Amino acid sequence: MLSIVSHPDNNSQISMIAEWMIGNNGRLKKPLVMFYSELIGLSEERLKTLVFRFDTRKNNKAETWGVNRIRLNPDAYANTDDPAWLGTIAHEITHEYDYYQSSFPDFLIRFWDRTGIKFREFILGMPHEKAYKASRMEKQAFAVQAVIMDFVRTYSPQKILSDSTLSEQEKVELVLKMAEEYKSKKMVV
């Protein structure tokens, strides 16, 4: 199912994304909040407050500009319920949390991060993609994204999350059970 989502501050920006991910209010659905809380370790309360906008630049899948300023490109993937969305959202949530826990203003954090990328690219001669991935913020976000995508490849949680015959509570229970199993297997290795 698709959901038409508009950001409360920007009603002219209306986009479509899978209803089981983000509700009409631009917030993560409860099963997804529990999913990220369990696998990433962020508090449920924090994840419940995030509001997603759908007005990012078309050349990006998503971008985060500061505390509670996550912007997604609903056209980033061919299918609105593509499992890669789970990894992309985790990546952006990680960035948002970096901004949230910092005592510096958002624009300074972004400036330092972007300056470091440009330094590696133009002064050290790194290719753009390598310079980008060498950023401390990006390394951390890609590591979180890798964990989520490994989980997605192993368990296909999107099948449960998108199942309209299950209640929200059943989805939460099943996702938490899979996450516990995943974490226990990873701890053994």
Side-chain angles (χ1 to χ4, degrees):
M1 288 197 88
L2 300 178
S3 176
I4 296 178
V5 181
S6 65
H7 187 275
D9 297 337
N10 193 0
N11 288 328
S12 64
Q13 296 292 332
I14 298 176
S15 304
M16 297 172 81
I17 194 163
E19 187 177 90
W20 56 267
M21 289 186 207
I22 297 174
N24 290 334
N25 59 1
R27 297 184 191 277
L28 292 173
K29 292 286 193 138
K30 184 178 180 179
L32 214 51
V33 166
M34 302 302 290
F35 170 76
Y36 288 127
S37 178
E38 187 66 29
L39 288 174
I40 299 174
L42 298 180
S43 75
E44 292 173 41
E45 291 75 30
R46 179 75 195 130
L47 292 169
K48 287 177 187 176
T49 65
L50 298 178
V51 177
F52 294 81
R53 293 176 58 149
F54 297 88
D55 60 350
T56 192
R57 292 175 288 175
K58 293 297 176 190
N59 60 335
N60 289 336
K61 291 180 179 162
E63 53 192 5
T64 302
W65 287 77
V67 175
N68 210 3
R69 294 179 63 203
I70 301 174
R71 299 167 24 173
L72 303 174
N73 177 356
D75 301 324
Y77 299 102
N79 295 326
T80 57
D81 61 351
D82 191 312
W85 271 118
L86 295 172
T88 298
I89 291 171
H91 184 105
E92 297 308 320
I93 287 171
T94 305
H95 285 321
E96 194 280 341
Y97 190 70
D98 282 340
Y99 287 110
Y100 175 72
Q101 69 180 9
S102 176
S103 58
F104 292 108
D106 296 346
F107 76 91
L108 272 179
I109 297 167
R110 188 160 177 83
F111 173 76
W112 286 331
D113 186 55
R114 296 297 159 214
T115 301
I117 291 169
K118 295 301 179 191
F119 175 80
R120 286 185 289 280
E121 188 175 354
F122 295 114
I123 305 300
L124 300 179
M126 286 184 174
H128 174 74
E129 197 63 29
K130 188 174 179 182
Y132 173 75
K133 288 184 177 181
S135 155
R136 182 197 63 78
M137 285 178 70
E138 293 302 332
K139 282 181 185 177
Q140 184 178 4
F142 277 116
V144 168
Q145 185 174 0
V147 168
I148 296 298
M149 291 313 295
D150 182 52
F151 180 85
V152 167
R153 280 188 292 279
T154 306
Y155 291 97
S156 301
Q158 66 277 13
K159 290 178 183 174
I160 290 170
L161 293 168
S162 64
D163 187 345
S164 60
T165 63
L166 296 174
S167 71
E168 191 173 75
Q169 186 58 39
E170 290 171 319
K171 290 178 185 182
V172 167
E173 290 170 6
L174 289 169
V175 165
L176 289 177
K177 183 179 175 186
M178 289 187 300
E180 284 299 320
E181 183 180 317
Y182 177 79
K183 286 170 39 178
S184 69
K185 284 182 179 179
K186 291 298 175 183
M187 293 294 197
V188 172
V189 174

